[in-house]
Amino acid sequence: MVDLYTWSTPNGRKVSILLEELGVDYAVHPINIGKDEQFGEAFLKISPNNKIPAILDRENGLSLFESGAIMIYMADKTKMLLPESGLERYRVLQWLMWQMGGFGPMLGQAHHFLHYNPGKAEYAETRYATEAKRLYGVLDRQLAEHRFVAGDAYSLADIAIWPWAAGFKMQRVDLSAFPSVQRWYEMVASRPGVQAGYQVPNPGQDIPVP
């Protein structure tokens, strides 16, 4: 059993979708970041950086924060969605790192300036809107040659990237301009594990439709 501390953000959904896809039993502990619950003393013992998601593996007492670390740990533990060795493992990991270092942070800035604070910083809006479209272009070229992000198999890379792509409206991105991304986005969105994980911890939120 895994305790999942999370909220309805792209990073939070990465882990809830992963746990659903892995078929792992988990208990959800909502951390309402809108009410600053991430700064609570109990949560800090699990996530020293005040960020969701975080997990506690009851089987061995290990607590982990940072979504990428959690994803690699759970995939290695279950031997699913990440090759154990060889070139295919590193192809998945490079796209996971691409999400962690670029697609997530840059789209997070796009959310901040384009959706939540429009009209306050023209330079920032232009910068992050342009970077968002560039990154979607990178993803579109990769998906034009592969069924899934890291190749022919569904993997951690898809699960990490997809929840950020689900924010395309907040990023002012038209997915029809990136047809390979749209094809992949809709295919991943149709998976039962993705649909279930998207609802954690707040049921009733619809997956955005292009």
Side-chain angles (χ1 to χ4, degrees):
M1 172 68 78
V2 170
D3 288 310
L4 171 62
Y5 300 82
T6 192
W7 196 242
S8 298
T9 70
N11 281 336
R13 286 174 169 140
K14 285 158 58 175
V15 176
S16 55
I17 289 171
L18 174 67
L19 294 174
E20 289 286 342
E21 294 280 24
L22 294 175
V24 171
D25 290 332
Y26 68 101
V28 178
H29 303 272
I31 303 295
N32 189 333
I33 61 177
K35 296 182 178 179
D36 290 338
E37 291 179 358
Q38 71 272 29
F39 296 105
E41 184 176 348
F43 181 62
L44 274 174
K45 293 179 181 179
I46 298 169
S47 181
N49 196 36
N50 311 105
K51 301 289 185 180
I52 62 93
I55 66 165
L56 173 64
D57 188 341
R58 296 188 196 175
E59 184 176 311
N60 55 25
L62 175 68
S63 63
L64 282 176
F65 66 100
E66 286 295 332
S67 58
I70 295 167
M71 295 182 81
I72 294 170
Y73 169 73
M74 290 305 308
D76 282 343
K77 182 176 181 178
T78 59
K79 296 179 170 46
M80 295 173 63
L81 297 171
L82 176 65
E84 293 184 58
S85 62
L87 299 180
E88 294 307 313
R89 179 180 178 88
Y90 294 103
R91 290 190 177 105
V92 173
L93 289 176
Q94 74 172 347
W95 285 101
L96 175 61
M97 295 303 112
W98 178 81
Q99 184 278 307
M100 297 291 295
F103 201 65
M106 293 300 103
L107 296 188
Q109 294 296 325
H111 293 174
H112 180 80
F113 289 106
L114 298 172
H115 181 73
Y116 293 110
N117 295 281
K120 292 185 178 180
E122 181 179 354
Y123 171 79
E125 289 189 34
T126 300
R127 173 180 170 80
Y128 291 113
T130 300
E131 181 64 2
K133 291 180 176 63
R134 187 192 73 81
L135 289 165
Y136 273 93
V138 172
L139 185 59
D140 196 66
R141 290 190 293 276
Q142 176 70 3
L143 288 166
E145 298 182 359
H146 304 280
R147 185 165 187 250
F148 293 104
V149 172
D152 294 329
Y154 183 64
S155 74
L156 287 190
D158 302 283
I159 295 172
I161 294 167
W162 185 88
W164 284 99
F168 62 91
K169 292 180 181 178
M170 290 194 292
Q171 301 146 16
R172 300 183 190 174
V173 169
D174 180 359
L175 284 192
S176 67
F178 305 97
S180 295
V181 173
Q182 183 167 342
R183 182 267 306 166
W184 164 84
Y185 175 85
E186 293 172 345
M187 178 174 61
V188 173
S190 70
R191 296 178 65 92
V194 173
Q195 294 173 6
Y198 191 86
Q199 300 295 319
V200 176
N202 296 313
Q205 299 186 31
D206 294 332
I207 291 176
V209 177

